[in-house]
């Protein structure tokens, strides 16, 4: 996927949350309704976010490229355009791009009144690099 091949705006480099990402990501708020914030998140190849939880849950709608999603204690799931990930409240997880592909998803915060996100440790290079070998 090229950086401009998107249905939605890519947004600016995600510098506000860069400490929680390995690599560069881009963020565009699509709907700022405080009851249901919706964002477009674009990951450069190899970029992923840290382990984290959402107190109310989160829904990811995969738009383009190839990526990964993993819940703690479970195998990683490869993501493609059209995939939907329904993340339950308080489930520790991470998501991001494959090593060789840009990845873009819409992120919908569920019950943001319960809290948006608790950031945790980075996904190690060893954990991430093992995914492409499976």
């Amino acid at each position: 996927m090229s950086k401009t091949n998107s249905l939605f705006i890519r947004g600016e480099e995600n510098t506000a949350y860069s400490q929680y990402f390995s690599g560069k990501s881009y963020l565009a708020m699509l709907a700022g309704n405080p009851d249901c914030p919706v964002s477009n998140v674009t990951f450069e190849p190899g970029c992923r976010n840290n382990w984290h939880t959402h107190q109310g849950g989160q829904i990811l709608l995969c738009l383009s490229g190839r990526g990964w999603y993993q819940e703690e204690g479970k195998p990683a799931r490869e993501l493609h355009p059209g995939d939907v990930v329904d993340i339950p409240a308080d489930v520790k997880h991470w998501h991001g791009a494959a090593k060789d592909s840009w990845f873009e998803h819409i992120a919908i915060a569920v019950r943001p009144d319960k809290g948006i996100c608790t950031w945790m440790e980075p996904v190690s290079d060893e954990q991430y690099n093992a995914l492409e070998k499976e």
Side-chain angles (χ1 to χ4, degrees), residues 10-130:
R10 179 178 75 177
E12 300 297 320
E13 187 174 335
N14 188 6
T15 56
Y17 294 93
S18 62
Q19 73 260 31
Y20 306 118
F21 286 74
S22 297
K24 286 185 185 176
S25 67
Y26 300 84
L27 180 65
M29 286 299 298
L30 301 178
N33 180 332
D35 293 326
C36 186
V38 178
S39 303
N40 183 28
V41 184
T42 304
F43 300 80
E44 71 177 1
C47 177
R48 71 261 186 197
N49 52 33
N50 288 8
W51 290 96
H52 60 285
T53 62
H54 299 275
Q55 290 72 21
Q58 184 181 46
I59 298 169
L60 305 178
L61 307 175
C62 303
L63 297 176
S64 60
R66 188 169 68 90
W68 293 101
Y69 167 78
Q70 185 173 22
E71 292 181 7
E72 184 177 47
K74 295 185 179 178
R77 173 181 164 194
E78 190 171 337
L79 300 175
H80 301 277
D83 288 343
V84 176
V85 182
D86 188 358
I87 306 165
D90 297 315
V91 168
K92 187 176 177 181
H93 68 282
W94 69 270
H95 36 102
K99 283 192 226 179
D100 61 352
S101 178
W102 285 82
F103 179 62
E104 177 184 27
H105 66 55
I106 299 296
I108 303 168
V110 178
R111 297 288 317 264
D113 56 309
K114 291 187 169 213
I116 297 294
C117 187
T118 301
W119 292 104
M120 299 170 191
E121 73 276 7
V123 175
S124 72
D125 289 339
E126 294 76 23
Q127 288 173 304
Y128 180 76
N129 291 334

